[in-house]
Amino acid sequence: MTSTFEQTTPDATGRDASGPRTGGRARRRDHTVPPWLFVAPALVVYAVVVLYPSLAGVMYAFTDWSGIGGFSFTGLDNFRELLADDRALESVANTLLLTVAVVVVQNGIGLLLALGVHANIRSRALLRLIFFAPAVVSPVMVAILWKYIYNPDNGAGLNGLLGAVGLGSLRQDWLGDPSLALWSVAAMVVWQYAGYSMVVFLAGLQGVPAELHEAARIDGAGSWQRFRYVTWPLLAPALTINLMLSTIGGLKLFDQVYAATNGGPGTSSETLSTVLYKEAFVYGKFGYSTAVALVLALFVAAVSLVQLRYLRAREVTA
C-alpha cells in the first residue's frame, strides 16, 4: 500500500533538502526598509531648523529688512556700512584680543590643573569635580556672580579681599574702567572653562603609556625632560581639541559680555556678537545684523580651518 505522504530526507542542518528554500529570509529581504528612511526625519528637522534659517540669513544680508514687513535688495551696502562702522571695527579688535587671552590663559591653566590632579594624590577625584564644576553653570549665572565679585565698592568682592590682605592700592572699578573691562570679562571666561580644558588634557594624559616615562627615567631624564619629550608630543590630539573649542568659543562670545558689561563702558568690551545682537534687536536693522553674522561665521570658519590644518600637521610630526 502506497503512503499518502512522501518521505523527505533532511540535510545536515535538519532542514528539508527535497526542494528549493524560499522561506522567511527571502520574504524578509523583499520587505527590507531602505536605510535612508531612518535618517529622513532627522534630516527634515535639521533642514527646517538649521539649513533654511542659515540660507535665509545669507539672503537677508543683502537686503534692508527691518525684521517685519517687506524688504528690498541693497547689494553690498550692508558690508560697506560694516567696513565704515568704527564701532564694528573696534568690536573686531576686541573679539580678537579677547579670544587670544582666553585661548592662551585658559589652556595654560587647564594644562597645569590636569598635570596637578593627574598626580597620585588622595583628593584628586574631589579636585577634578571642583575644577570642572563651573563649566556646567550657565554663562549668564557666571556673569552675574562675577559682577558681585567685581563690585567697585572698596569693602565688597575682590576689592574687599584686596583691602583685607593689605593690597588696597590694587582696588579697581573692574567693569567700569574702559581699560580693564575686556580683561575682566576674559578672566571670568577663563575661570569658567579652565576646568573643561583640564578634563580634555586629563584624557590625553591617561593615554600616555607609563612605560615611556619609566624608560625615560631610566635613561636619566628629569621631570621637565620627560614632559617635554614624552608627554607633550603625545598630548597633541588633546591640545588640538582644546585650542579649537576655546578659539571658536572666544570668537563668538556673547553671554558673559552682554550680561556683565553690555559691551561697555562705551564700546570698550563690545564684540562682534554683541554688535550683531544690538543691531538686530535694539536698532531693528536685521539686514545689517545678518551681514555682521555672515562675516562672523565666515571669519570663524576661516580661522578654524587654518588652525585645524596646522594642529593636525603637528599631531603627525609630534
Side-chain angles (χ1 to χ4, degrees):
M1 180 176 180
T2 305
S3 173
T4 57
F5 298 95
E6 280 190 311
Q7 184 174 1
T8 59
T9 305
D11 62 8
T13 60
R15 292 192 296 264
D16 184 2
S18 63
R21 289 171 292 171
T22 59
R25 183 178 300 177
R27 287 195 296 271
R28 286 195 298 271
R29 188 183 300 117
D30 292 338
H31 294 84
T32 299
V33 178
W36 61 267
L37 283 179
F38 290 98
V39 299
L43 290 177
V44 171
V45 173
Y46 181 79
V48 172
V49 176
V50 178
L51 291 183
Y52 173 73
S54 299
L55 295 176
V58 173
M59 180 191 70
Y60 287 131
F62 299 91
T63 70
D64 60 355
W65 189 45
S66 63
I68 56 175
F71 59 85
S72 58
F73 286 93
T74 59
L76 298 176
D77 288 353
N78 288 328
F79 299 94
R80 295 191 187 98
E81 182 180 353
L82 175 61
L83 293 175
D85 188 346
D86 293 336
R87 184 168 66 96
L89 295 178
E90 183 181 1
S91 72
V92 173
N94 290 341
T95 301
L96 292 176
L97 289 174
L98 186 61
T99 301
V100 171
V102 168
V103 169
V104 173
V105 180
Q106 174 182 316
N107 287 288
I109 294 177
L111 179 58
L112 292 176
L113 291 176
L115 292 171
V117 300
H118 186 63
N120 191 19
I121 55 178
R122 185 173 299 178
S123 59
R124 60 180 179 176
L126 178 61
L127 290 175
R128 291 177 185 179
L129 176 62
I130 293 173
F131 292 141
F132 180 73
V136 300
V137 180
S138 166
V140 175
M141 292 301 299
V142 170
I144 294 173
L145 169 65
W146 277 81
K147 286 185 72 173
Y148 283 102
I149 295 175
Y150 286 141
N151 193 317
D153 187 77
N154 287 337
L158 181 58
N159 284 340
L161 178 63
L162 291 173
V165 297
L167 297 175
S169 60
L170 298 179
R171 293 169 176 161
Q172 303 287 339
D173 186 359
W174 302 100
L175 297 177
D177 188 339
S179 64
L180 293 176
L182 188 68
W183 309 116
S184 299
V185 172
M188 74 171 70
V189 175
V190 169
W191 176 83
Q192 181 172 14
Y193 293 112
Y196 188 92
S197 297
M198 175 201 71
V199 170
V200 177
F201 280 126
L202 269 175
L205 288 172
Q206 291 171 354
V208 178
E211 295 81 2
L212 294 179
H213 282 286
E214 186 63 28
R217 188 180 294 109
I218 293 174
D219 289 340
S223 299
W224 167 250
Q225 291 175 316
R226 292 198 303 273
F227 173 79
R228 172 67 181 85
Y229 296 106
V230 177
T231 303
W232 181 244
L234 295 177
L235 280 179
L239 181 65
T240 297
I241 294 172
N242 271 332
L243 289 181
M244 290 292 298
L245 291 177
S246 56
T247 299
I248 294 173
L251 290 174
K252 63 184 186 67
L253 194 66
F254 171 78
D255 303 62
Q256 294 91 334
V257 177
Y258 190 79
T261 67
N262 195 20
T267 58
S268 60
S269 63
E270 202 84 84
T271 65
L272 271 174
S273 295
T274 59
V275 169
L276 186 160
Y277 175 85
K278 291 178 180 179
E279 291 294 338
F281 298 103
V282 177
Y283 305 117
K285 298 170 63 175
F286 279 80
Y288 178 65
S289 69
T290 52
V292 176
L294 181 59
V295 170
L296 176 60
L298 293 175
F299 183 63
V300 171
V303 172
S304 301
L305 288 174
V306 172
Q307 188 182 47
L308 181 62
R309 184 173 181 179
Y310 168 77
L311 292 172
R312 287 298 189 189
R314 179 186 177 276
E315 288 183 24
V316 174
T317 58

